[in-house]
Structures are given as C-alpha cells and as structure tokens.
Amino acid sequence: LKALPGAPHFVPGLLDLHGEALPVIDVSRLAGTPPDAVRYDTRILLVDVYAAGRTRRLGLKCERVVGVAAIDGPLAEAGEACAPWLGQVAPDAHGMLQLLDPAHLLAPDVEALLFGTGEAT
C-alpha cells in the first residue's frame, strides 16, 4: 500500500489495482483496536460505495477472512451510534457475525479526502 499523506490512522494507503488507485480502510483501526499483524488469511476485500457523486471502489483490510457465507437466519439490530457503519448481527456456527454497512463507512471529510468532492474542476 502507498501511504496517503494527511489520511486518518485507519487509512493505511492506496492499493494499485491494475492501474487504478483504490483507498484502503483498515477495519481493525476503524473499530478502535490496534491493527493485527498481517497473517496468511488477512485480505483486502473490495466493496462498492457511493462517494463524491458516483459509485467508487474501496478496499477493506480485514484481519482474517475465513470464508463467504449466505445468511439465511434472522438478523438482529446492533448498530452503534458511535459506529454507524456497523450493521446487523447474524447468528453463526461459531457465535455471531457482525455485518458492516459500506454506505456508512466514510465520514464526509474522509470521503472528500479519499475521493474528492465530486465537483468538476
């Protein structure tokens, strides 16, 4: 990742994906926990977010990814006012899954830093 000067502590940098610079958010740092060491199962997941007037791609650095699953069970509301990006909670064979809401990941000032204002110059 290429460091981004002036970025918040939870933005470790930009990822070069086939010539496209994608900002990356470290989910651990965003949640207020120290970043874990990079492990074999650390992944950068790509998500689409609406920012600066259009859909953009954003990388989410996640400590561990153990798989992808369809969620068939009931979801419980568990969002926190201090972390609007936390979505619903779903039961899982290993306990629970905390879902993330990509639409609420970026505060307006962080969105402007990462993607600009969306206005033509």
Side-chain angles (χ1 to χ4, degrees), residues 3-85:
L4 186 60
H9 73 283
F10 56 85
V11 179
L14 299 173
L15 171 69
D16 180 353
L17 184 66
H18 307 294
E20 180 183 3
L22 301 178
V24 174
I25 301 289
D26 184 320
V27 176
S28 293
R29 288 182 183 181
L30 183 65
T33 61
D36 202 5
V38 174
R39 301 173 184 273
Y40 175 74
D41 50 356
T42 296
R43 298 288 186 263
I44 295 178
L45 307 175
L46 300 179
V47 297
D48 290 328
V49 295
Y50 188 79
R54 66 184 179 93
T55 301
R56 312 282 184 136
R57 282 204 277 182
L58 178 69
L60 299 179
K61 180 179 175 255
C62 301
E63 285 181 12
R64 295 183 186 109
V65 176
V66 294
V68 177
I71 299 173
D72 297 327
L75 300 177
E77 293 299 325
E80 297 289 330
C82 63
W85 49 275

Side-chain angles (χ1 to χ4, degrees), residues 82-109:
C82 63
W85 49 275
L86 289 176
Q88 297 174 307
V89 174
D92 179 58
H94 305 288
M96 72 170 198
L97 299 174
Q98 174 71 63
L99 305 180
L100 302 182
D101 184 355
H104 293 99
L105 274 171
L106 303 176
D109 58 330

